[in-house]
């Protein structure tokens, strides 16, 4: 019902910036809360950022506060993750996710739909 397609990952050096994009199916995007998760190599999945369906609420994990910004453009059915001052610790597979309930993403790290992932690698 909801298709999510990520793009924008790549190999960068520490201190660089990247913007990840996630394009969702048009008919459902405005109804869903959106989040970005990441999974570093050899580690578990963690929630990086989330934004409510209307854009009124956002969440960031402590390690990215002040460096990452999540945003959405409803007319483009797109959610973004702007990443600045990247660190090697930010390396991982980044996944876009959609959920009916905002708190499900933030508190339970759960989502109803997931993208395929895009790889971000930050070299020192």
């Amino acid at each position: 019902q909801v298709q999510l397609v990520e793009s924008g990952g790549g190999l960068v050096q520490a201190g660089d910036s990247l913007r990840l994009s996630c394009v969702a199916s048009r008919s459902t995007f405005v109804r869903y809360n959106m989040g970005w998760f990441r999974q570093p190599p050899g580690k578990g999945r963690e929630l990086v950022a989330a934004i409510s369906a209307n854009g009124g609420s956002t969440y960031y994990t402590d390690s990215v506060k002040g460096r990452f910004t999540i945003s959405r453009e409803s007319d483009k059915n797109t959610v973004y993750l702007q990443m600045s001052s990247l660190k090697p610790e930010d390396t991982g597979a980044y996944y876009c996710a959609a959920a009916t309930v905002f708190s499900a993403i933030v508190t339970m790290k759960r989502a109803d739909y997931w993208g395929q992932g895009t790889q971000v690698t930050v070299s020192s």
Side-chain angles (χ1 to χ4, degrees):
Q1 186 174 359
V2 177
Q3 183 177 4
L4 306 173
V5 180
E6 300 112 324
S7 63
L11 173 63
V12 298
Q13 298 184 65
D16 285 353
S17 298
L18 278 176
R19 188 180 72 168
L20 306 183
S21 299
C22 172
V23 180
S25 51
R26 186 181 186 276
S27 63
T28 60
F29 179 73
V30 298
R31 302 168 62 91
Y32 284 87
N33 306 280
M34 305 296 296
W36 286 96
F37 292 77
R38 71 184 178 192
Q39 186 169 18
K43 299 181 180 180
R45 180 191 64 188
E46 68 172 336
L47 176 65
V48 177
I51 186 167
S52 60
N54 64 7
S57 298
T58 57
Y59 163 88
Y60 299 95
T61 192
D62 287 344
S63 64
V64 308
K65 286 182 178 177
R67 299 190 298 119
F68 290 12
T69 301
I70 188 170
S71 61
R72 63 192 298 160
E73 295 186 38
S74 296
D75 59 349
K76 294 183 178 181
N77 305 313
T78 302
V79 61
Y80 303 97
L81 186 67
Q82 177 66 50
M83 306 184 295
S84 300
S85 301
L86 283 163
K87 305 175 180 179
E89 307 94 273
D90 296 317
T91 293
Y94 283 69
Y95 297 90
C96 178
T100 303
V101 181
F102 186 59
S103 61
I105 300 177
V106 175
T107 65
M108 303 300 296
K109 298 180 65 177
R110 296 189 63 177
D112 301 310
Y113 301 96
W114 297 84
Q116 82 287 352
T118 185
Q119 179 67 35
V120 173
T121 302
V122 185
S123 63
S124 60

